[in-house]
Amino acid sequence: MIFDGQDHIHQSINAINRRLNELIGTSQQLATQIGQLAQQGAGVQQAGQVPAQPPATGTGTPAIQRHEVDHLIRNGNDLVQQLNQLKNSVEGIAREKRDAPPAPPSYEDQAGTQLIKNNVDEMKTILKQMQADAYVNSQKGGGASSCPEVSCLSTTYFGVFIVGQVVLLLLYSVYQSRKEAAAKKFY
């Protein structure tokens, strides 16, 4: 579950990084085009001449002034610089996440593992005792072990018991997943 969250964060950072690269490329293209337009406009006017009236663009509005073009270029360069800084910080975060050691197992994981080991050891002990008892009984009975004539547990009861256990296990699993989902909402 933790690894799924980390994977989702990693994918989000990569998506942001791709989008930043697109934005930086677009802003650099715009800055280049604005610079070219400014140079073409400056090339048309002769040095030292100030036009009496702004040239008309055919729509009744005056053309862009040189100081406006310079202002647009400065803003474009500032935007490119800020996007580069943002990209570097996102890459730094991604690098730290990639280089960070995996989180140690939590106390619950360690306790669960220890509980499973204890249960397995207990089952091994019980099986060894049953084997020893079966061997002793076979030695006493002359080699042939006798099975009880009456079954303590019928097949139907056994099947119902197993199905009940599976249903309880599934219900508990659903309960735990909902509980974890509700806990995630607070983080």
Side-chain angles (χ1 to χ4, degrees):
M1 183 177 302
I2 293 172
F3 297 114
D4 293 338
Q6 288 179 346
D7 187 45
H8 180 68
I9 291 171
H10 181 67
Q11 291 173 356
S12 298
I13 288 174
N14 285 340
I16 290 171
N17 195 14
R18 281 192 301 274
R19 184 67 181 138
L20 279 174
N21 285 336
E22 291 173 9
L23 288 173
I24 289 172
T26 303
S27 61
Q28 287 175 344
Q29 288 175 353
L30 288 174
T32 303
Q33 290 174 357
I34 290 173
Q36 290 172 352
L37 288 174
Q39 289 175 353
Q40 290 173 356
V44 171
Q45 294 180 357
Q46 293 179 358
Q49 281 188 337
V50 178
Q53 294 180 346
T57 59
T59 60
T61 58
I64 296 178
Q65 298 289 325
R66 177 68 184 169
H67 65 85
E68 293 172 334
V69 171
D70 291 338
H71 183 69
L72 284 174
I73 291 173
R74 269 194 308 273
N75 286 344
N77 289 336
D78 289 343
L79 178 65
V80 169
Q81 184 181 16
Q82 290 174 357
L83 287 174
N84 279 329
Q85 289 174 352
L86 182 61
K87 176 186 172 193
N88 291 337
S89 66
V90 168
E91 286 175 347
I93 291 170
R95 192 177 317 105
E96 288 176 10
K97 187 228 173 264
R98 184 180 56 240
D99 295 341
S106 67
Y107 175 74
E108 292 85 15
D109 293 340
Q110 292 173 352
T113 304
Q114 187 62 33
L115 180 64
I116 291 171
K117 287 180 183 178
N118 290 341
N119 287 340
V120 168
D121 290 340
E122 185 178 338
M123 286 174 37
K124 284 181 182 178
T125 305
I126 291 171
L127 285 174
K128 285 180 183 178
Q129 288 175 350
M130 288 174 63
Q131 284 176 343
D133 289 344
Y135 180 73
V136 168
N137 285 339
S138 69
Q139 294 298 326
K140 286 182 184 178
S145 63
S146 60
C147 294
E149 297 293 324
V150 178
S151 174
C152 297
L153 181 67
S154 71
T155 307
T156 305
Y157 285 129
F158 181 73
V160 169
F161 179 74
I162 294 297
V163 169
Q165 288 291 319
V166 169
V167 167
L168 286 175
L169 182 65
L170 289 174
L171 289 174
Y172 181 74
S173 174
V174 169
Y175 168 76
Q176 282 296 99
S177 65
R178 286 185 180 171
K179 186 177 176 182
E180 289 175 0
K184 283 183 183 178
K185 290 180 183 177
F186 294 110
Y187 296 105

